[in-house]
């Protein structure tokens, strides 16, 4: 007798992750902004984080999670008194149901948090170094991992996403950005400006007049909008962006200080070192020996795929 077979339908499937970390950010942490061709989520396990995206501005607190869809430019920062702890995971998924996430940030419920906790726990067992290590930059298979560890990461991640989508309708009130509509429009304009500055980070100098001409906006209006959204003056932010890029390059250990200065548009390594010290209180060489260098976010976009 031949029994009928029922083929189960998969709503989403994940085979590849790019990054996975559980880490503490330093006080006054500042992300220079990025966009990439894969999904990413950030869960705030402790503290607070402020996030700017093309969709809006978000004030995230402990227990909140936010998703960044592919190619969404996003910027994050912390306040001077707080060193938040985050779970970050980025992955590839082209399932239609992922359309639920781009406009959502919300607080996890207890059973969802348990799934995420299980996911992080398995992550500490799967890679070398583990996801909660300060040395973790991108996933590297640990040959000593227990049987089925990587498949459990896949299972927990897929179940976690499915549960968030299934519970989505009754959480619709939490799906709106922290800003009102007018503020969202200003946020989008400022994000475009930051993205432009990021693309021109290697420029020797960038003037407010150049930005005004590029975006067809008056000096006073531009400075007012930018300050209101970021808390920084434009040129202060520009210098900070360069220093944060420098921190990332120092952490990558692929360039010497002269090469970093050249990549970031400084006239010479001395002017670079002088500005670095003015903004951080230490020289680049001193910074390279600090604990803080472990928290720099510059991680390669490296795909880690489960072996079949």
């Amino acid at each position: 007798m031949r029994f009928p077979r029922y083929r189960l339908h998969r709503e989403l499937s994940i085979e590849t992750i790019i990054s996975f970390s559980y880490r503490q950010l330093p006080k006054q942490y500042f992300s220079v902004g990025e966009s990439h061709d894969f999904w990413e989520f950030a869960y705030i396990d402790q503290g607070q984080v402020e996030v700017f995206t093309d969709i809006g501005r978000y004030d995230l607190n402990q227990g909140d999670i936010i998703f960044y869809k592919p190619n969404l430019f996003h910027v994050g920062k912390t306040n001077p008194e707080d060193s938040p702890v985050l779970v970050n995971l980025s992955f590839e998924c082209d399932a239609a149901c992922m359309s639920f996430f781009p406009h959502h940030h919300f607080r996890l419920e207890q059973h969802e948090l348990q799934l995420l906790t299980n996911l992080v726990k398995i992550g500490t067992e799967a890679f070398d170094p583990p996801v909660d290590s300060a040395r973790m930059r991108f996933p590297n298979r640990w040959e000593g991992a227990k049987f089925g560890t990587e498949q459990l990461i896949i299972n927990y991640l897929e179940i976690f996403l499915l549960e968030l989508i299934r519970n989505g309708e009754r959480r619709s009130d939490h799906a709106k950005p922290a800003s009102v509509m007018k503020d969202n429009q200003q946020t989008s304009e400022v994000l475009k400006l930051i993205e432009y500055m990021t693309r021109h980070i290697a420029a020797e100098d960038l003037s407010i007049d150049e930005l005004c001409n590029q975006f067809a906006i008056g000096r006073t209006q531009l400075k007012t909008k930018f300050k209101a959204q970021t808390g920084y003056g434009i040129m202060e932010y520009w210098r900070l962006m360069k220093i944060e890029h420098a921190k990332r390059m120092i952490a990558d250990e692929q360039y010497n200080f002269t090469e970093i200065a050249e990549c970031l548009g400084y006239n010479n390594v001395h002017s670079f070192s002088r500005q670095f010290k003015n903004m951080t209180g230490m020289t680049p060489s001193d910074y390279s020996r600090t604990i803080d260098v472990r928290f720099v976010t510059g991680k390669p976009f490296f795909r880690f795929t489960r072996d079949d």
Side-chain angles (χ1 to χ4, degrees), residues 104-147:
H104 285 71
H105 85 285
F106 39 78
R107 184 172 299 276
L108 293 189
E109 298 182 357
Q110 189 59 44
H111 72 286
E112 298 164 341
L113 179 57
Q114 186 59 56
L115 286 171
L116 182 58
T117 301
N118 293 341
L119 180 59
V120 173
K121 182 177 183 297
I122 292 298
T124 64
E125 302 174 1
F127 309 118
D128 181 24
V131 298
D132 60 343
S133 169
R135 296 182 295 111
M136 177 58 153
R137 302 300 301 281
F138 53 89
N140 182 55
R141 181 170 288 114
W142 180 40
E143 298 301 333
K146 294 180 180 179
F147 170 78

Side-chain angles (χ1 to χ4, degrees), residues 17-25 29 31 34 36 38-45 49 51 60 65-68 74 76 84-91 116 119-120 127 131-132 136-137 139 157 160 295 297 299:
I17 65 173
I18 294 87
S19 65
F20 188 4
S21 65
Y22 178 79
R23 64 197 180 98
Q24 183 177 33
L25 300 180
Y29 169 81
S31 166
E34 64 179 12
H36 37 64
F38 46 81
W39 286 91
E40 178 184 0
F41 71 73
Y43 170 75
I44 317 303
D45 195 40
V49 175
V51 170
L60 304 179
I65 190 170
I66 187 169
F67 282 78
Y68 307 125
H74 50 280
V85 177
L86 273 66
V87 177
N88 278 99
L89 198 153
S90 56
F91 57 95
L116 182 58
L119 180 59
V120 173
F127 309 118
V131 298
D132 60 343
M136 177 58 153
R137 302 300 301 281
L157 179 55
F160 178 63
F295 301 124
T297 60
K299 50 184 179 293

Side-chain angles (χ1 to χ4, degrees), residues 48-302:
Q48 299 176 321
V49 175
E50 187 175 6
V51 170
F52 301 89
T53 76
D54 291 332
I55 298 172
R57 180 181 64 83
Y58 301 84
D59 296 316
L60 304 179
N61 300 298
Q62 183 179 20
D64 289 341
I65 190 170
I66 187 169
F67 282 78
Y68 307 125
K69 68 179 181 179
N71 302 312
L72 177 72
F73 189 77
H74 50 280
V75 177
K77 70 174 184 175
T78 64
N79 62 53
E81 294 78 32
D82 197 14
S83 297
V85 177
L86 273 66
V87 177
N88 278 99
L89 198 153
S90 56
F91 57 95
E92 292 181 322
C93 184
D94 58 3
C97 61
M98 292 297 293
S99 62
F100 165 80
F101 290 108
H103 301 283
H104 285 71
H105 85 285
F106 39 78
R107 184 172 299 276
L108 293 189
E109 298 182 357
Q110 189 59 44
H111 72 286
E112 298 164 341
L113 179 57
Q114 186 59 56
L115 286 171
L116 182 58
T117 301
N118 293 341
L119 180 59
V120 173
K121 182 177 183 297
I122 292 298
T124 64
E125 302 174 1
F127 309 118
D128 181 24
V131 298
D132 60 343
S133 169
R135 296 182 295 111
M136 177 58 153
R137 302 300 301 281
F138 53 89
N140 182 55
R141 181 170 288 114
W142 180 40
E143 298 301 333
K146 294 180 180 179
F147 170 78
T149 299
E150 289 182 19
Q151 186 167 342
L152 283 173
I153 290 177
I154 294 171
N155 292 346
Y156 280 131
L157 179 55
E158 290 179 347
I159 293 171
F160 178 63
L161 297 174
L162 290 170
E163 284 293 319
L164 293 179
I165 295 171
R166 284 162 60 93
N167 297 331
E169 290 186 2
R170 55 192 175 85
R171 278 196 295 223
S172 58
D173 289 341
H174 297 278
K176 299 176 182 178
S179 312
V180 297
M181 185 61 68
K182 181 179 179 181
D183 197 26
N184 279 351
Q185 182 179 356
Q186 292 184 356
T187 298
S188 179
E189 293 171 351
V190 170
L191 258 292
K192 290 178 182 178
L193 177 60
I194 294 174
E195 190 170 8
Y196 178 85
M197 295 165 71
T198 301
R199 292 198 308 268
H200 294 79
I201 195 67
E204 182 176 334
D205 199 7
L206 194 68
S207 68
I208 293 180
D209 288 338
E210 177 183 345
L211 296 173
C212 289
N213 291 334
Q214 180 67 32
F215 292 92
I217 188 173
R219 288 175 62 93
T220 301
Q221 187 179 13
L222 177 63
K223 293 165 71 173
T224 300
K225 284 184 176 181
F226 196 91
K227 181 76 172 180
Q229 291 296 322
T230 68
Y232 295 95
I234 296 176
M235 291 298 100
E236 179 188 12
Y237 195 94
W238 171 244
R239 291 189 293 269
L240 184 58
M241 287 181 70
K242 283 182 176 286
I243 296 305
E244 291 300 320
H245 270 282
K247 288 180 178 180
R248 180 177 297 186
M249 296 175 77
I250 291 171
D252 284 340
E253 298 181 335
Q254 296 182 15
Y255 304 91
N256 61 40
F257 298 142
T258 299
E259 291 170 332
I260 292 175
E262 182 178 349
C263 288
L264 295 177
Y266 289 94
N267 291 327
N268 52 62
V269 68
H270 303 294
S271 60
F272 162 63
S273 297
R274 183 165 55 252
Q275 187 171 103
F276 193 99
K277 185 173 183 179
N278 287 341
M279 299 194 71
T280 67
M282 63 186 75
T283 65
S285 57
D286 288 339
Y287 174 77
S288 68
R289 295 189 290 269
T290 65
I291 295 175
D292 185 62
V293 76
R294 301 179 311 172
F295 301 124
V296 175
T297 60
K299 50 184 179 293
F301 292 156
F302 175 87

